[in-house]
Amino acid sequence: TPTSARWRQRSRSRSIPVVDDTRRRARPDPSRRNGPAYCRTMGARVVVESVRKAWVPVPGAGEGAISEALAGVSFSLEPGDFVALLGPSGCGKSTLLNLLGALDRPTSGRVLVDGHDLALFSDAGRDLYRRRTAATVFQFFNLLPTMTSLENVALPLLLDDVPSAEAEERAAAALGEVGLPEKSGAFPWQLSGGQMQRVAVARALVARPSLLLADEPTGNLDSRSSGRSSSRRRSCRPSP
């Protein structure tokens, strides 16, 4: 049974909404792909302008109970930049990544990617942005437990209407690039923490995003796997 058919069958049985996006985009010419099999040159211009993110306190908690994760953050990134966010736990790193990934909206300020204000996107537009422009490697993997490694990696492609055979081929190549070709049929519960993290990296890169956001992507990896994962991300950068 093709991966797409198995996924849709499981979606119906678990009441997970199935996305039917019939809008197609031009597929890249395989002969023009550079670098790893699942990777293309990344590049997106990011501008963050005076971004503030705060949460309103519960009623009766008082004004001092306002929780502010970001307070007037501004910076810009050019296509191909490789940047690390450093800071203690709770300083707002994950919050900032969520804003860049259109998983949340700022309280004030703007986040622009290639000139587009993410806060102005509709829900459908945010979904499209996450499928085609910005991919996230989540700190806690967020792998679907009822799907194999191959199916988890292929899922973003299937949601974007990529043919099942191509999706499986690209997912298999991505797993090979992170050193897990033999784990394509394994479920998340059969993997170690480091292996799940590498599957999450492959899933983020398989759709060849312009912008890659990674929340502690090597926290569960040994030094060798960490180096391999970092080199794969760097290989997607434009050549100087």
Side-chain angles (χ1 to χ4, degrees):
T1 305
T3 299
S4 59
R6 289 198 299 271
W7 177 75
R8 290 176 185 276
Q9 183 179 12
R10 290 175 185 172
S11 298
R12 287 193 294 269
S13 65
R14 293 175 58 85
S15 300
I16 300 175
V18 176
V19 177
D20 183 17
D21 186 355
T22 57
R23 293 169 294 179
R24 294 180 178 269
R25 54 173 172 163
R27 301 298 172 196
D29 182 352
S31 65
R32 298 187 178 183
R33 295 173 187 169
N34 298 317
Y38 64 89
C39 181
R40 69 172 171 84
T41 299
M42 290 184 178
R45 176 168 173 74
V46 178
V47 177
V48 176
E49 298 178 344
S50 303
V51 163
R52 177 174 177 266
K53 181 62 182 179
W55 287 270
V56 178
V58 296
E63 184 177 348
I66 294 178
S67 176
E68 188 173 56
L70 301 172
V73 174
S74 297
F75 64 88
S76 63
L77 302 175
E78 295 299 325
D81 281 353
F82 192 95
V83 179
L85 296 177
L86 303 177
S89 178
C91 72
K93 300 186 297 297
S94 295
T95 299
L96 179 58
L97 290 177
N98 287 341
L99 296 179
L100 292 170
L103 295 169
D104 202 354
R105 290 185 171 91
T107 304
S108 61
R110 297 197 304 169
V111 177
L112 298 100
V113 176
D114 288 335
H116 300 286
D117 188 340
L118 303 188
L120 301 181
F121 284 168
S122 64
D123 288 343
R126 287 153 67 88
D127 289 341
L128 200 63
Y129 169 80
R130 288 190 291 265
R131 289 206 307 272
R132 298 184 178 177
T133 301
T136 300
V137 181
F138 295 98
Q139 183 175 0
F140 300 108
F141 321 131
N142 288 357
L143 301 178
L144 297 182
T146 60
M147 303 179 80
T148 65
S149 297
L150 184 71
E151 292 169 339
N152 267 287
V153 175
L155 181 57
L157 302 176
L158 297 174
L159 289 173
D160 206 24
D161 205 26
V162 173
S164 178
E166 180 185 345
E168 290 190 11
E169 179 183 359
R170 287 167 59 179
L175 286 171
E177 290 290 346
V178 297
L180 293 175
E182 76 285 357
K183 296 295 184 181
S184 62
F187 291 91
W189 56 270
Q190 296 173 311
L191 303 174
S192 68
Q195 289 171 334
M196 285 192 287
Q197 197 146 38
R198 281 188 277 168
V199 173
V201 170
R203 179 184 58 187
L205 290 172
V206 73
R208 309 183 185 100
S210 298
L211 179 64
L212 178 64
L213 307 168
D215 195 350
E216 299 189 22
T218 60
N220 287 290
L221 302 183
D222 56 69
S223 58
R224 181 178 180 181
S225 297
S226 177
R228 174 184 292 183
S229 177
S230 296
S231 68
R232 293 295 178 266
R233 295 193 300 276
R234 290 191 181 96
S235 68
C236 300
R237 301 166 65 190
S239 301

